Amino acid sequence: MTDVIHRTAAEIAAQVADGTVTATEVTEAHLARIEAVDEKVHAFLHVDREGALEQARAVDARRAAGEKLGPLAGVPLALKDIFTTEGVPTTCGSKILEGWIPPYDATVTRRLKEAGVVILGKTNMDEFAMGSSTETSAYGPTGNPWDLTRIPGGSGGGSAAAIASYQAPLAIGTDTGGSIRQPAAVTGTVGVKPTYGGVSRYGMIAFSSSLDQGGPCARTVLDAALLHEAIAGHDPLDSTSIDAPVPAVVEAARNGSVAGLRVGVVKEFRGEGYQAGVMARFDESVELLRELGAEVVEVSCPSFDKALAAYYLIAPSECSSNLARFDAMRYGLRVGDTGGRSAEEVTTLTRGAGFGDEVKRRIMLGTYALSSGYYDAYYGSAQKVRTLISRDFERAFGDVDVLISPTTPTTAFAIGERVDDPMAMYLADLCTIPTNLAGNAAMSLPCGLADEDGLPVGLQIIAPAMADERLYRVGAAVEAAFRARWGHPLLEEAPAL
Ligand code: GLN
């Protein structure tokens, strides 16, 4: 039974459907794996053992009753702790939500349950998804399964680490500036940021609402596509949700090909700060795409060098407003409510105790940037840069079908290395942020190990808005070619835990 944890989600679903294995057995195997390794990895903040087994038994009962099961029925999943789960703790990595039990499911949670996906538990993350290393979590860091002294990326480090350590075949992340793709890159897994509005934000705790996007994390491109299809689609409960058919991502993942495709290499994504081993693997990927029949050209996106600066005005501005709801009255923690203090004093004490340093830094930055007299200079200017970035993408996609770049400038850094240096931390998302600002779609998938440290490198593929299927078509072709070259999935090279 142990080997069930190494199977893909597609394989598990097929075996549950044909009766080779039960959903309960699959769930028990993954719970045993969590029991065995998560003390070291710390991917989960909460394991919902009973809830998971109950969901699994329900799938087995439906099968026994002769019901036709969906394409992910009986497959276990690790859910980022930013999504509300009815009756199951949801902290968003923050002390301020400690002890909060949501009274409702996020749309993503609900769709997963309806698909018969078994939710194993909630994964660790940077507090309110602010970070690139999972170190700002109020509950301690997560280790990278490739080297437990290194960061697993962030903010969705728990989700990426869970799948990279075979604690779950699937996970859900959210990507505001890179938090699905960057963890995927540094853990040797696949992560996709769908087109903005492609997956409902209802019940996904808001960080920066105009940038936040939930999406799939998996070990294969096909598994990511199956998960993407399960959670995507219009939701009347989210006013920014796209009311259009979901791109045909599963079909694309089953028909990987780049023949005749025009691929643009973003010229701006190289140079100082990019690790040699990352660029070597990226250049090999470019060669591979050529061999597979793509036409590769260089593309310039001159405004991308302002993306980070614009992001660090827009995201904090929106977060300063979104996080105002944590006022000690409605959710979670309340400090100093011992009588005699005003509501304002209790709110101040609670926010002071409940938020960590990075969250406070951003609330202050955002409040400042939005204050009258500074609005035009900061927030207004950042919005203009955002328009320039969208135009760069539009121009590029007038000429090419997809863009490619390294996902991150470096491989996984050491836990503690950048935690006191916010600027160094922010650079981890240099290549991922433009996509969030423009609202289009992108994927990270493994493209090898860096020579200098033997750690995974991610290849980023970027597609126009609503053309998410291109990511999967290209991703599946690249994945198949790399696997043929390596003889196995990259993750098999990770040391045993
Ligand atoms: N690292 C970026 C930040 O801290 C992006 C985080 C995210 O995508 N949630 O804002």
Side-chain angles (χ1 to χ4, degrees):
M1 212 55 222
T2 53
D3 119 88
V4 79
I5 63 166
H6 293 107
R7 292 182 201 145
T8 66
E11 287 164 358
I12 290 172
Q15 291 184 337
V16 168
D18 73 17
T20 310
V21 70
T22 65
T24 306
E25 288 167 329
V26 171
T27 302
E28 278 168 350
H30 284 89
L31 288 168
R33 176 70 176 171
I34 294 172
E35 190 92 351
V37 302
D38 206 45
E39 215 168 306
K40 289 184 230 164
V41 180
H42 193 226
F44 286 91
L45 292 178
H46 180 82
V47 177
D48 184 20
R49 203 188 159 77
E50 282 320 306
L53 287 168
E54 204 177 300
Q55 290 167 58
R57 282 193 291 265
V59 170
D60 291 332
R62 277 169 48 206
R63 184 180 179 277
E67 247 182 75
K68 190 172 157 21
L69 300 178
L72 285 178
V75 179
L77 172 138
L79 183 60
K80 190 176 182 181
D81 204 25
I82 195 169
F83 289 91
T84 59
T85 39
E86 187 183 343
V88 175
T90 300
T91 68
C92 217
S94 182
K95 279 275 180 254
I96 211 158
L97 280 177
E98 196 165 25
W100 183 57
I101 312 279
Y104 71 109
D105 277 336
T107 295
V108 164
T109 308
R110 182 173 54 77
R111 289 196 175 161
L112 290 168
K113 288 180 179 172
E114 284 166 5
V117 171
V118 174
I119 301 172
L120 294 170
K122 311 293 291 289
T123 58
N124 199 14
M125 55 183 284
D126 282 299
E127 185 176 8
F128 286 104
M130 298 174 197
S132 301
S133 66
T134 312
E135 291 167 289
T136 74
S137 166
Y139 303 98
T142 295
N144 187 321
W146 288 79
D147 174 349
L148 293 171
T149 70
R150 306 242 178 185
I151 59 103
S155 62
S159 284
I163 55 177
S165 57
Y166 301 97
Q167 300 187 59
L170 296 176
I172 296 281
T174 63
D175 194 310
T176 302
S179 286
I180 291 176
R181 289 163 288 161
Q182 183 257 5
V186 300
T187 57
T189 56
V190 179
V192 177
K193 185 201 96 69
T195 296
Y196 180 77
V199 174
S200 171
R201 288 188 296 109
Y202 180 74
M204 186 176 116
I205 297 169
F207 162 13
S208 180
S209 310
S210 76
L211 302 165
D212 297 342
Q213 181 57 63
C217 313
R219 293 192 292 259
T220 71
V221 171
L222 176 61
D223 282 2
L226 289 164
L227 184 54
H228 189 143
E229 226 162 73
I231 59 173
H234 183 240
D235 178 13
L237 299 174
D238 171 2
S239 61
T240 57
S241 155
I242 297 170
D243 192 0
V246 177
V249 294
V250 172
E251 192 204 304
R254 291 195 196 278
N255 295 287
S257 154
V258 299
L261 216 70
R262 262 173 87 78
V263 175
V265 173
V266 184
K267 190 176 112 190
E268 283 74 15
F269 289 148
R270 68 164 64 233
E272 206 191 320
Y274 287 80
Q275 194 177 318
V278 168
M279 292 321 293
R281 294 294 86 82
F282 176 69
D283 291 338
E284 265 173 28
S285 306
V286 171
E287 268 324 297
L288 179 83
L289 282 161
R290 285 210 175 94
E291 285 165 28
L292 294 173
E295 189 186 341
V296 187
V297 296
E298 199 176 76
V299 167
S300 176
C301 296
S303 299
F304 281 15
D305 67 349
K306 298 180 192 69
L308 205 65
Y311 174 89
Y312 278 100
L313 286 167
I314 292 168
S317 295
E318 292 186 12
C319 102
S320 71
S321 164
N322 274 326
L323 269 57
R325 78 191 62 180
F326 301 105
D327 58 1
M329 303 300 147
R330 284 175 281 195
Y331 311 94
L333 189 72
R334 182 177 297 172
V335 176
D337 187 14
T338 48
R341 285 203 180 91
S342 68
E344 201 176 325
E345 285 168 323
V346 173
T347 301
T348 305
L349 287 171
T350 302
R351 287 168 69 87
F355 289 140
D357 289 349
E358 184 62 23
V359 172
K360 286 178 184 157
R361 181 180 295 127
R362 302 221 188 172
I363 291 173
M364 286 191 281
L365 251 171
T367 306
Y368 181 79
L370 290 176
S371 55
S372 73
Y374 293 108
Y375 185 94
D376 289 335
Y378 296 115
Y379 188 74
S381 302
Q383 289 291 15
K384 287 178 190 156
V385 169
R386 196 168 183 177
T387 302
L388 292 177
I389 288 166
S390 295
R391 285 194 192 144
D392 275 0
F393 272 123
E394 270 165 42
R395 211 175 310 112
F397 288 128
D399 183 35
V400 300
D401 300 295
V402 292
L403 292 167
I404 56 167
S405 78
T407 308
T408 55
T410 71
T411 55
F413 43 91
I415 292 178
E417 191 182 312
R418 297 192 192 177
V419 79
D420 296 321
D421 186 351
M423 280 313 290
M425 189 70 85
Y426 297 171
L427 286 172
D429 296 308
L430 203 57
C431 311
T432 47
I433 277 175
T435 302
N436 300 81
L437 290 170
N440 51 317
M443 167 188 281
S444 178
L445 79 165
C447 65
L449 304 176
D451 300 317
E452 53 274 26
D453 53 23
L455 292 169
V457 177
L459 170 68
Q460 179 175 230
I461 307 168
I462 310 173
M466 294 305 285
D468 305 40
E469 75 284 353
R470 287 187 204 170
L471 306 174
Y472 291 93
R473 199 174 298 282
V474 176
V478 170
E479 176 184 68
F482 272 131
R483 285 195 180 186
R485 187 177 287 184
W486 302 327
H488 54 74
L490 188 70
L491 211 48
E492 277 180 26
E493 290 191 32
L497 282 169

